[in-house]
Amino acid sequence: EISMLLNSYHNATVRTLEKSSFYIIEDPDKFMKDHPEVALFIAQLLARRLALLDSYFAELKKEFFSLTNRVQQAAMHHGSDTEMLRQFWEDAERGMVMRRHKMP
């Protein structure tokens, strides 16, 4: 459905456990206009997926910042022994910021 909406190449593979039939939609735009209930269903499906990803990334961000704070505290207590680890966390944080700005 994503490739249909974005007019791009599909990046998923479907495997079935039993014999299945599929329909090929030659003109996705026309199909969606002629079948708005399908368009609504796909929009709801994608919104649920996006909400799950959003909550996952929010939790990941909390964990990252919690670890960052612990590394910074350890660095203050142990001095230069943790300099390499502190640098790693700074680089990781920069990478997160860069990815966030590249997201549509």
Side-chain angles (χ1 to χ4, degrees):
E1 70 278 358
I2 293 173
S3 62
M4 182 176 75
L5 292 171
L6 298 178
N7 194 26
S8 64
Y9 185 75
H10 64 277
N11 61 359
T13 301
V14 176
R15 295 186 181 166
T16 64
L17 298 175
E18 56 190 50
K19 187 174 180 178
S20 304
S21 298
F22 298 91
Y23 295 97
I24 297 173
I25 300 171
E26 297 294 337
D27 187 349
D29 289 337
K30 181 177 178 344
F31 181 83
M32 298 289 259
K33 289 174 185 170
D34 292 346
H35 300 89
E37 69 280 1
V38 174
L40 178 60
F41 174 80
I42 290 174
Q44 291 170 335
L45 174 73
L46 293 173
R48 282 192 296 274
R49 289 181 188 171
L50 183 58
L52 284 172
L53 279 173
D54 191 47
S55 64
Y56 170 76
F57 283 124
E59 281 300 312
L60 193 60
K61 184 178 177 181
K62 278 194 264 184
E63 288 178 27
F64 174 79
F65 285 114
S66 173
L67 286 171
T68 299
N69 288 336
R70 284 192 274 166
V71 167
Q72 288 173 346
Q73 289 173 359
M76 290 185 337
H77 287 90
H78 299 289
S80 63
D81 294 343
T82 58
E83 180 60 26
M84 189 169 71
L85 191 54
R86 185 190 61 74
Q87 185 63 45
F88 167 80
W89 285 115
E90 286 178 4
D91 292 345
E93 188 172 338
R94 272 194 298 278
M96 268 182 53
V97 169
M98 289 173 55
R99 281 189 297 281
R100 184 175 51 224
H101 291 298
K102 288 182 181 179
M103 293 179 74

